[in-house]
Amino acid sequence: MSIKSLLHTPALTHEKSLKTLVENRTIFSLNNCELNIFETYQESALVPLKFNDLVVTSMLRGKKVMHLFDEPGFDYLPGETVVIPSNVEMKIDFPEASNQNPTQCLALAIDQTKISETLNFLNERYPKEGTDNFWQLNYQNYFFYNNVDLASTINKLIKECMSTSITKDVLADLTLQELLIRIIQTQTVKSIDQGDFSNQNNAMAQVIDYIRKNLKEDINLKHLSDKACMSTTSFYRFFKRELGMSPIEFVLSEKIKHAKKLLKNQSIQINEVCYLSGFDDANYFIRLFKKHEGVTPKQYQLMNFTN
């Protein structure tokens, strides 16, 4: 279990204004993007949907089951985002939708020219370390949980798309750039979790490997920058740009992930988990764990123990 960053939910369409009970669509069009809000009020299966542009979708209410790329369907819930390339058909089940429990989902279609301009700008002005390592979207890594920064950016973009201000297109364009950066950073973090990041960047791979093998040690910025053969200032900028978080924030997140693995053992003591995960203070460990996961270590252990 992980706590997800939820988005602000727009008001539901008034019943008298609904055009259909399945994927009722409200559109907000801007120069370089189109925000679609979909609502469904009855159970349905394999409802097709396709866009001509790349689409960033995020669940707001209820539950869907998504079918993509001829892969098994997966549950799609609030706090989760899916990025879908242009002209890819999704098929959607609504197993629980009703008048009392509608689904609501946003689909942000982004003009390909805007995407290309943003990626070219980033690769020119803020090139990544290493050869063949570029700012790019990873279409194999299309499903992920919203983090705080990603959710904040999506919320900001929803607000601009729904605005009546004469400057909304300008502000939306700036936020689209931020959104693409946040998505790439989120995909990079997920790639690290899946263990397939090492081929992209050797310096980062060495640092990640060092962190994971030394969680019980006192890891500081100087240790990590030395491993990357960079100054501490350059390394900090490099790391933050790649992952959207500071090196020490990443160290803490890795310690929490290790603690979660240990807590699947029902008999292990919380103090033992604390020290094996590299924390000296049990109270601090408990506070940080709850901040990351939404529950205390003991609650997590009880919810996830294996027989």
Side-chain angles (χ1 to χ4, degrees):
M1 171 184 170
S2 290
I3 191 167
K4 307 167 192 173
S5 295
L6 303 181
L7 301 178
H8 301 322
T9 52
L12 292 168
T13 304
H14 192 278
E15 184 178 358
K16 293 181 179 179
S17 300
L18 291 173
K19 302 178 185 69
T20 174
L21 295 179
V22 178
E23 291 293 68
N24 185 78
R25 183 179 186 179
T26 304
I27 303 173
F28 302 88
S29 296
L30 283 78
N31 286 344
N32 292 308
C33 68
E34 177 186 86
L35 174 65
N36 300 267
I37 305 293
F38 290 97
E39 300 166 18
T40 294
Y41 294 82
Q42 67 181 30
E43 292 184 21
S44 305
L46 299 177
V47 177
L49 184 63
K50 182 165 69 173
F51 288 85
N52 294 329
D53 296 309
L54 175 135
V55 177
V56 179
T57 76
S58 289
M59 279 298 288
L60 301 170
R61 308 173 196 251
K63 173 185 174 179
K64 293 182 179 181
V65 177
M66 290 281 283
H67 303 270
L68 277 171
F69 309 115
D70 296 321
E71 295 182 1
F74 58 91
D75 289 351
Y76 193 20
L77 302 168
E80 300 171 352
T81 287
V82 172
V83 177
I84 304 166
S86 60
N87 296 308
V88 170
E89 184 174 69
M90 52 192 118
K91 292 188 177 178
I92 309 166
D93 300 336
F94 302 89
E96 301 172 0
S98 67
N99 284 333
Q100 292 71 39
N101 183 36
T103 68
Q104 187 182 46
C105 179
L106 70 84
L108 182 76
I110 308 175
D111 184 76
Q112 182 56 50
T113 301
K114 183 63 179 177
I115 296 172
S116 298
E117 287 176 354
T118 300
L119 296 180
N120 289 338
F121 172 79
L122 291 170
N123 284 314
E124 180 181 340
R125 296 288 298 273
Y126 306 98
K128 289 176 174 278
E129 301 291 332
T131 57
D132 299 323
N133 191 23
F134 304 101
W135 288 95
Q136 57 189 336
L137 292 163
N138 180 351
Y139 295 118
Q140 281 70 52
N141 203 344
Y142 57 83
F143 171 80
F144 40 83
Y145 295 160
N146 297 339
N147 55 43
V148 173
D149 290 330
L150 180 60
S152 175
T153 305
I154 295 174
N155 281 330
K156 194 189 311 181
L157 196 47
I158 294 172
K159 179 182 175 182
E160 296 306 335
C161 287
M162 293 182 168
S163 169
T164 57
S165 168
I166 60 172
T167 60
K168 69 177 185 177
D169 276 297
V170 175
L171 294 173
D173 280 353
L174 293 172
T175 312
L176 282 172
Q177 291 181 328
E178 181 181 349
L179 176 63
L180 292 170
I181 293 170
R182 297 295 185 196
I183 289 172
I184 293 169
Q185 290 171 335
T186 304
Q187 289 178 326
T188 301
V189 172
K190 188 175 179 184
S191 293
I192 290 172
D193 292 340
Q194 295 172 334
D196 59 3
F197 181 73
S198 58
N199 292 331
Q200 299 180 35
N201 189 292
N202 189 53
M204 181 65 81
Q206 289 182 16
V207 169
I208 300 302
D209 186 60
Y210 174 80
I211 290 171
R212 289 177 169 168
K213 289 179 177 177
N214 294 276
L215 287 177
K216 292 195 290 183
E217 306 299 323
D218 180 21
I219 303 175
N220 58 45
L221 187 59
K222 182 66 167 60
H223 289 153
L224 300 180
S225 58
D226 286 347
K227 285 291 174 184
C229 300
M230 298 181 186
S231 70
T232 54
T233 302
S234 295
F235 173 72
Y236 183 92
R237 286 200 302 263
F238 158 69
F239 199 99
K240 184 95 173 180
R241 180 192 63 205
E242 292 284 332
L243 303 188
M245 67 180 83
S246 73
I248 301 307
E249 286 172 335
F250 180 80
V251 171
L252 291 175
S253 72
E254 286 296 302
K255 289 183 176 184
I256 294 296
K257 287 175 190 173
H258 184 65
K260 288 166 64 178
K261 292 178 183 178
L262 295 173
L263 287 166
K264 291 184 178 179
N265 176 359
Q266 189 186 17
S267 62
I268 196 169
Q269 298 297 310
I270 301 302
N271 282 346
E272 187 178 359
V273 174
C274 168
Y275 298 123
L276 289 175
S277 302
F279 294 97
D280 295 327
D281 184 325
N283 289 328
Y284 172 67
F285 164 64
I286 292 170
R287 288 197 307 272
L288 187 68
F289 192 97
K290 186 170 184 180
K291 178 181 177 183
H292 275 249
E293 301 301 316
V295 293
T296 66
K298 189 62 180 177
Q299 289 170 326
Y300 184 91
Q301 185 181 41
L302 292 173
M303 295 165 63
N304 293 274
F305 74 87
T306 55
N307 293 319

